[in-house]
Amino acid sequence: MSAADPKTPRPYPKLRVVDGLASAPEPLDFDAMFRRYSPYVASVGLRLLGRDDELDDLVQDVFLEAHRGLSRVRDTGAIKGWLARICVRRAVRRLRRRKLRSWLSFDELGYEPREETHDASPETRAEVARLYRELERLPPLVRAAWVLRRLEGQSLDDVASACRCSKSTVQRRLRDADTHLRGLRGVSTEDEGT
C-alpha cells in the first residue's frame, strides 16, 4: 500500500504505558525538534529571502507556528516537510511585503551579500548578487519553487508539498523562472530527471 492509500494506517507517536495500560501519546519534544531542524529552516529561509537581515525573525516565526501546531503532528517523519511548508509560506509573505514596500517607496530592491559569500572571489560575489537581484523580480511563489529545486536540490514532490501546489504547477513555475534567469552565468536552469 502506498502512503497516499487511505487504508494505510498513519503512524502515531508512541503511547506511554502506565501500570500496564496505554495512555495518551507522548508529546513531541519541541526543543529537540528545534535543535535538529533550525539549521535546515535557516538555510531554506536564507536562500528564499536572499539576505539575512530578516532571517532570525523568519526562523522565530516558523518555530512559533510549529509550536502552536505541534500537538496535531501525527507522523514524526513528516516534520521536515511540515516545517518547510511553514517556512515557504512565511518567506513568501515577507517577500510580498518587501516588494510592496519597495514599490510604495520607489526604492530599489537591494541585495545584501550573505556571510557565506564573503570568502568568495569578487566575481563570484557579483554573480550571486546579480542572481538575487533577478530573483527579486520573480513572483514570490515562482522564486520559492526555483530556490527549493535549484538551490536546495529538493525533489519535485518535496517542492510541490512545500509550496502546497501540484507537481505540474511546480514545473510551470520552474520553467517561468528558468526563462527569466536564462543567460546568467553559472546558474543551472536544467532539470535532470523531471
Side-chain angles (χ1 to χ4, degrees):
M1 281 188 219
S2 71
D5 188 351
K7 295 178 185 175
T8 303
R10 290 176 47 177
Y12 290 95
K14 286 183 164 183
L15 292 177
R16 288 182 288 172
V17 178
V18 180
D19 297 328
L21 300 172
S23 64
E26 291 181 24
L28 294 171
D29 183 8
F30 179 78
D31 292 336
M33 181 184 71
F34 179 81
R35 282 190 304 277
R36 180 173 182 188
Y37 293 110
S38 62
Y40 169 72
V41 169
S43 172
V44 170
L46 182 59
R47 289 194 167 158
L48 286 169
L49 296 175
R51 56 189 204 208
D52 58 5
D53 60 336
E54 298 178 72
L55 185 60
D56 290 339
D57 291 339
L58 175 67
V59 172
Q60 182 180 8
D61 289 348
V62 169
F63 281 98
L64 280 172
E65 186 173 330
H67 187 267
R68 286 191 292 265
L70 194 58
S71 63
R72 294 187 302 269
V73 173
R74 298 286 181 231
D75 181 3
T76 57
I79 288 178
K80 185 176 180 181
W82 176 58
L83 290 171
R85 280 191 300 278
I86 296 170
C87 184
V88 167
R89 188 173 60 248
R90 294 285 182 159
V92 164
R93 283 182 193 164
R94 287 179 178 278
L95 290 169
R96 285 178 175 156
R97 271 184 281 173
R98 185 190 301 169
K99 216 171 215 180
L100 181 61
R101 281 192 314 260
S102 172
W103 181 77
L104 290 174
S105 66
F106 302 105
D107 290 339
E108 183 74 24
L109 288 171
Y111 168 76
E112 300 290 326
R114 300 182 317 199
E115 287 181 21
E116 64 191 43
T117 62
H118 288 304
D119 294 336
S121 71
E123 295 83 19
T124 302
R125 285 197 311 267
E127 286 298 318
V128 170
R130 184 172 173 217
L131 169 64
Y132 274 96
R133 279 194 303 274
E134 291 302 318
L135 286 174
E136 289 284 352
R137 293 186 174 118
L138 292 174
L141 291 172
V142 173
R143 176 180 178 158
W146 191 88
V147 165
L148 291 173
R149 179 69 175 157
R150 301 287 192 253
L151 298 182
E152 286 292 317
Q154 293 187 6
S155 70
L156 288 174
D157 291 329
D158 290 343
V159 175
S161 175
C163 294
R164 301 189 83 152
C165 63
S166 70
K167 202 165 146 179
S168 61
T169 298
V170 168
Q171 290 171 325
R172 180 182 47 78
R173 289 175 181 169
L174 289 172
R175 278 193 307 274
D176 291 349
D178 290 343
T179 299
H180 179 79
L181 298 172
R182 193 165 286 128
L184 285 178
R185 188 180 65 139
V187 175
S188 170
T189 57
E190 298 301 317
D191 212 3
E192 305 86 25
T194 41

PDB file of all heavy atoms in Angstrom, residues 136-149:
ATOM      1  N   GLU A 136      14.667  38.716  -7.163  1.00  0.00           N
ATOM      2  CA  GLU A 136      13.748  39.712  -6.586  1.00  0.00           C
ATOM      3  C   GLU A 136      12.659  40.107  -7.587  1.00  0.00           C
ATOM      4  O   GLU A 136      11.579  40.524  -7.201  1.00  0.00           O
ATOM      5  CB  GLU A 136      14.507  40.979  -6.157  1.00  0.00           C
ATOM      6  CG  GLU A 136      15.380  40.804  -4.941  1.00  0.00           C
ATOM      7  CD  GLU A 136      14.608  40.757  -3.638  1.00  0.00           C
ATOM      8  OE1 GLU A 136      13.390  41.001  -3.626  1.00  0.00           O
ATOM      9  OE2 GLU A 136      15.247  40.452  -2.621  1.00  0.00           O
ATOM     10  N   ARG A 137      12.958  39.973  -8.861  1.00  0.00           N
ATOM     11  CA  ARG A 137      11.983  40.361  -9.902  1.00  0.00           C
ATOM     12  C   ARG A 137      10.937  39.285 -10.164  1.00  0.00           C
ATOM     13  O   ARG A 137       9.943  39.542 -10.829  1.00  0.00           O
ATOM     14  CB  ARG A 137      12.730  40.694 -11.183  1.00  0.00           C
ATOM     15  CG  ARG A 137      13.570  41.939 -11.044  1.00  0.00           C
ATOM     16  CD  ARG A 137      14.198  42.335 -12.368  1.00  0.00           C
ATOM     17  NE  ARG A 137      14.867  43.612 -12.212  1.00  0.00           N
ATOM     18  CZ  ARG A 137      16.165  43.791 -12.385  1.00  0.00           C
ATOM     19  NH1 ARG A 137      16.934  42.784 -12.751  1.00  0.00           N
ATOM     20  NH2 ARG A 137      16.691  44.981 -12.223  1.00  0.00           N
ATOM     21  N   LEU A 138      11.189  38.072  -9.682  1.00  0.00           N
ATOM     22  CA  LEU A 138      10.236  36.984  -9.880  1.00  0.00           C
ATOM     23  C   LEU A 138       9.106  37.073  -8.865  1.00  0.00           C
ATOM     24  O   LEU A 138       9.306  37.540  -7.739  1.00  0.00           O
ATOM     25  CB  LEU A 138      10.942  35.632  -9.698  1.00  0.00           C
ATOM     26  CG  LEU A 138      11.981  35.231 -10.730  1.00  0.00           C
ATOM     27  CD1 LEU A 138      12.667  33.941 -10.300  1.00  0.00           C
ATOM     28  CD2 LEU A 138      11.373  35.082 -12.096  1.00  0.00           C
ATOM     29  N   PRO A 139       7.932  36.586  -9.239  1.00  0.00           N
ATOM     30  CA  PRO A 139       6.865  36.476  -8.236  1.00  0.00           C
ATOM     31  C   PRO A 139       7.332  35.560  -7.101  1.00  0.00           C
ATOM     32  O   PRO A 139       8.035  34.572  -7.345  1.00  0.00           O
ATOM     33  CB  PRO A 139       5.707  35.855  -9.016  1.00  0.00           C
ATOM     34  CG  PRO A 139       5.993  36.158 -10.449  1.00  0.00           C
ATOM     35  CD  PRO A 139       7.484  36.184 -10.573  1.00  0.00           C
ATOM     36  N   PRO A 140       6.956  35.848  -5.862  1.00  0.00           N
ATOM     37  CA  PRO A 140       7.450  35.069  -4.719  1.00  0.00           C
ATOM     38  C   PRO A 140       7.235  33.553  -4.825  1.00  0.00           C
ATOM     39  O   PRO A 140       8.105  32.774  -4.447  1.00  0.00           O
ATOM     40  CB  PRO A 140       6.696  35.660  -3.535  1.00  0.00           C
ATOM     41  CG  PRO A 140       6.448  37.069  -3.937  1.00  0.00           C
ATOM     42  CD  PRO A 140       6.174  37.004  -5.423  1.00  0.00           C
ATOM     43  N   LEU A 141       6.096  33.108  -5.339  1.00  0.00           N
ATOM     44  CA  LEU A 141       5.853  31.666  -5.435  1.00  0.00           C
ATOM     45  C   LEU A 141       6.733  31.013  -6.492  1.00  0.00           C
ATOM     46  O   LEU A 141       7.164  29.868  -6.331  1.00  0.00           O
ATOM     47  CB  LEU A 141       4.375  31.397  -5.717  1.00  0.00           C
ATOM     48  CG  LEU A 141       3.432  31.735  -4.571  1.00  0.00           C
ATOM     49  CD1 LEU A 141       1.977  31.617  -5.006  1.00  0.00           C
ATOM     50  CD2 LEU A 141       3.709  30.857  -3.363  1.00  0.00           C
ATOM     51  N   VAL A 142       7.013  31.732  -7.570  1.00  0.00           N
ATOM     52  CA  VAL A 142       7.926  31.228  -8.604  1.00  0.00           C
ATOM     53  C   VAL A 142       9.330  31.158  -8.021  1.00  0.00           C
ATOM     54  O   VAL A 142      10.055  30.176  -8.200  1.00  0.00           O
ATOM     55  CB  VAL A 142       7.880  32.121  -9.866  1.00  0.00           C
ATOM     56  CG1 VAL A 142       8.944  31.722 -10.869  1.00  0.00           C
ATOM     57  CG2 VAL A 142       6.491  32.072 -10.492  1.00  0.00           C
ATOM     58  N   ARG A 143       9.706  32.188  -7.318  1.00  0.00           N
ATOM     59  CA  ARG A 143      11.020  32.234  -6.674  1.00  0.00           C
ATOM     60  C   ARG A 143      11.179  31.086  -5.678  1.00  0.00           C
ATOM     61  O   ARG A 143      12.213  30.416  -5.642  1.00  0.00           O
ATOM     62  CB  ARG A 143      11.186  33.573  -5.964  1.00  0.00           C
ATOM     63  CG  ARG A 143      12.465  33.704  -5.172  1.00  0.00           C
ATOM     64  CD  ARG A 143      12.535  35.055  -4.498  1.00  0.00           C
ATOM     65  NE  ARG A 143      13.726  35.178  -3.688  1.00  0.00           N
ATOM     66  CZ  ARG A 143      14.259  36.337  -3.343  1.00  0.00           C
ATOM     67  NH1 ARG A 143      13.686  37.463  -3.733  1.00  0.00           N
ATOM     68  NH2 ARG A 143      15.335  36.383  -2.603  1.00  0.00           N
ATOM     69  N   ALA A 144      10.150  30.847  -4.868  1.00  0.00           N
ATOM     70  CA  ALA A 144      10.218  29.779  -3.870  1.00  0.00           C
ATOM     71  C   ALA A 144      10.431  28.424  -4.535  1.00  0.00           C
ATOM     72  O   ALA A 144      11.286  27.639  -4.103  1.00  0.00           O
ATOM     73  CB  ALA A 144       8.953  29.771  -3.015  1.00  0.00           C
ATOM     74  N   ALA A 145       9.676  28.138  -5.585  1.00  0.00           N
ATOM     75  CA  ALA A 145       9.830  26.854  -6.280  1.00  0.00           C
ATOM     76  C   ALA A 145      11.231  26.720  -6.853  1.00  0.00           C
ATOM     77  O   ALA A 145      11.875  25.670  -6.733  1.00  0.00           O
ATOM     78  CB  ALA A 145       8.786  26.728  -7.388  1.00  0.00           C
ATOM     79  N   TRP A 146      11.748  27.780  -7.466  1.00  0.00           N
ATOM     80  CA  TRP A 146      13.084  27.729  -8.077  1.00  0.00           C
ATOM     81  C   TRP A 146      14.168  27.531  -7.020  1.00  0.00           C
ATOM     82  O   TRP A 146      15.071  26.722  -7.197  1.00  0.00           O
ATOM     83  CB  TRP A 146      13.343  28.997  -8.894  1.00  0.00           C
ATOM     84  CG  TRP A 146      14.562  28.888  -9.740  1.00  0.00           C
ATOM     85  CD1 TRP A 146      14.629  28.392 -11.009  1.00  0.00           C
ATOM     86  CD2 TRP A 146      15.898  29.280  -9.392  1.00  0.00           C
ATOM     87  NE1 TRP A 146      15.931  28.444 -11.461  1.00  0.00           N
ATOM     88  CE2 TRP A 146      16.731  28.984 -10.494  1.00  0.00           C
ATOM     89  CE3 TRP A 146      16.472  29.837  -8.258  1.00  0.00           C
ATOM     90  CZ2 TRP A 146      18.093  29.230 -10.488  1.00  0.00           C
ATOM     91  CZ3 TRP A 146      17.831  30.081  -8.245  1.00  0.00           C
ATOM     92  CH2 TRP A 146      18.630  29.786  -9.354  1.00  0.00           C
ATOM     93  N   VAL A 147      14.071  28.265  -5.925  1.00  0.00           N
ATOM     94  CA  VAL A 147      15.084  28.159  -4.865  1.00  0.00           C
ATOM     95  C   VAL A 147      15.083  26.759  -4.262  1.00  0.00           C
ATOM     96  O   VAL A 147      16.143  26.156  -4.072  1.00  0.00           O
ATOM     97  CB  VAL A 147      14.855  29.236  -3.780  1.00  0.00           C
ATOM     98  CG1 VAL A 147      15.645  28.934  -2.523  1.00  0.00           C
ATOM     99  CG2 VAL A 147      15.218  30.614  -4.320  1.00  0.00           C
ATOM    100  N   LEU A 148      13.897  26.229  -3.962  1.00  0.00           N
ATOM    101  CA  LEU A 148      13.830  24.904  -3.354  1.00  0.00           C
ATOM    102  C   LEU A 148      14.369  23.826  -4.289  1.00  0.00           C
ATOM    103  O   LEU A 148      15.068  22.910  -3.859  1.00  0.00           O
ATOM    104  CB  LEU A 148      12.399  24.573  -2.946  1.00  0.00           C
ATOM    105  CG  LEU A 148      11.829  25.391  -1.791  1.00  0.00           C
ATOM    106  CD1 LEU A 148      10.349  25.083  -1.617  1.00  0.00           C
ATOM    107  CD2 LEU A 148      12.596  25.129  -0.506  1.00  0.00           C
ATOM    108  N   ARG A 149      14.080  23.949  -5.574  1.00  0.00           N
ATOM    109  CA  ARG A 149      14.515  22.928  -6.533  1.00  0.00           C
ATOM    110  C   ARG A 149      15.982  23.108  -6.936  1.00  0.00           C
ATOM    111  O   ARG A 149      16.769  22.175  -6.897  1.00  0.00           O
ATOM    112  CB  ARG A 149      13.615  22.973  -7.776  1.00  0.00           C
ATOM    113  CG  ARG A 149      13.983  21.980  -8.841  1.00  0.00           C
ATOM    114  CD  ARG A 149      13.694  20.569  -8.400  1.00  0.00           C
ATOM    115  NE  ARG A 149      13.968  19.671  -9.513  1.00  0.00           N
ATOM    116  CZ  ARG A 149      14.230  18.406  -9.361  1.00  0.00           C
ATOM    117  NH1 ARG A 149      14.222  17.868  -8.164  1.00  0.00           N
ATOM    118  NH2 ARG A 149      14.475  17.658 -10.401  1.00  0.00           N
TER     119      ARG A 149
END
